[in-house]
Amino acid sequence: RIPELSFSLSSNALISGELAPQSIELFGPELRLIRAKNGSIEFAIKSESNIVALNPAELVSWFLRPSGNTAQTDFLRTISIVGGELSLEDKQIEKTWNSPIEFATLTRGERYLSFLARGQLEFDTKATDILLSGKIFPYEENVSLNATFSNLIPAKISEHYLALKTLKTFNLPVSGSVDLEVGLDGKIEGGNFQITATKGNLVNPEISKQDIHVTSAFLKGKIIKGAS
């Protein structure tokens, strides 16, 4: 469902005697991002009567195809979303989260797509503010991603993702940022993080039978490909 849409016209297209959008802005759309059981990623837009599925790789390829000024979309540079809602569905673990989107922008460069988005995720009634930014390099099959977050409790995430079960130790709110280099196949190539924690508990029976109470903490490190 897309309640409202606006667009601006390209001045270069007008000079050529054409009407073509330079930017498109969607207000209040309902979107779906799905991880299928086989690990593939699907993207879809909800409409009044059905769901229109889009292949993310094909969408990126279409947005980055060479501009030959043969189509009106050749002049399109920016797609923006204001005040929408994103449904995150993970069919591998049978979980769904609904995230309000404050704003999101996708901008076309010469050989990449840049993106910026702000929204919220809710884990067990705890809302986490998230700001995502980065660039998609389809020819290098790589994504540079920065995620800034606040009021995130890692232990809550570990309840949903077995691969992150070590996070169950950190039952305390954290804020900070993570920079990642990710392949288009979803594999993490490397990155770094910087996290500040406030009052909470560290829960690790192997270290202590009692919870370790923490008033504040700071953690900085690197994520290395292939590290265990």
Side-chain angles (χ1 to χ4, degrees):
R1 183 175 60 89
I2 303 177
E4 187 177 345
L5 179 150
S6 70
F7 60 89
S8 65
L9 297 176
S10 167
S11 58
N12 290 332
L14 290 173
I15 292 173
S16 302
E18 297 184 59
L19 288 177
Q22 178 173 282
S23 64
I24 296 176
E25 195 167 25
L26 308 176
F27 295 89
E30 295 181 11
L31 310 174
R32 294 176 69 194
L33 189 62
I34 306 158
R35 183 171 74 154
K37 289 187 178 295
N38 63 5
S40 63
I41 302 298
E42 303 170 8
F43 177 71
I45 300 175
K46 295 181 181 179
S47 67
E48 290 292 344
S49 57
N50 57 12
I51 296 174
V52 181
L54 300 171
N55 184 303
E58 291 179 359
L59 184 62
V60 170
S61 298
W62 169 80
F63 209 32
L64 281 175
R65 73 192 191 286
S67 176
N69 292 340
T70 58
Q72 290 179 319
T73 51
D74 286 340
F75 297 95
L76 183 60
R77 290 293 176 267
T78 304
I79 298 176
S80 301
I81 292 173
V82 178
E85 183 172 298
L86 175 64
S87 174
L88 301 172
E89 301 179 27
D90 193 327
K91 294 186 177 180
Q92 290 188 350
I93 60 174
E94 302 296 333
K95 291 286 185 180
T96 300
W97 296 273
N98 292 315
S99 171
I101 303 172
E102 186 176 331
F103 68 83
T105 302
L106 188 66
T107 304
R108 177 163 61 178
E110 288 297 325
R111 294 180 59 84
Y112 63 85
L113 292 179
S114 62
F115 59 90
L116 178 66
R118 183 190 296 276
Q120 283 189 336
L121 281 179
E122 189 174 280
F123 293 97
D124 298 332
T125 72
K126 296 291 185 180
T128 298
D129 296 318
I130 296 180
L131 177 66
L132 296 176
S133 62
K135 292 181 179 179
I136 304 170
F137 300 92
Y139 303 114
E140 292 81 4
E141 298 185 347
N142 176 265
V143 178
S144 295
L145 171 67
N146 172 266
T148 301
F149 52 88
S150 62
N151 299 319
L152 176 66
I153 299 180
K156 298 298 182 182
I157 300 177
S158 69
E159 296 174 3
H160 303 289
Y161 287 95
L162 292 178
L164 300 176
K165 61 182 180 180
T166 55
L167 293 179
K168 67 181 181 180
T169 298
F170 303 95
N171 188 24
L172 70 176
V174 300
S175 301
S177 64
V178 177
D179 292 290
L180 294 174
E181 295 294 326
V182 185
L184 292 184
D185 57 1
K187 295 181 179 179
I188 296 176
E189 301 294 328
N192 56 74
F193 58 88
Q194 184 169 302
I195 298 171
T196 301
T198 55
K199 189 175 181 180
N201 299 320
L202 294 179
V203 183
N204 192 330
E206 296 180 3
I207 297 177
S208 173
K209 293 183 179 180
Q210 294 183 330
D211 293 355
I212 301 173
H213 300 290
V214 176
T215 55
S216 65
F218 177 76
L219 190 63
K220 185 177 182 180
K222 291 185 177 181
I223 301 169
I224 301 174
K225 179 181 179 181
S228 58

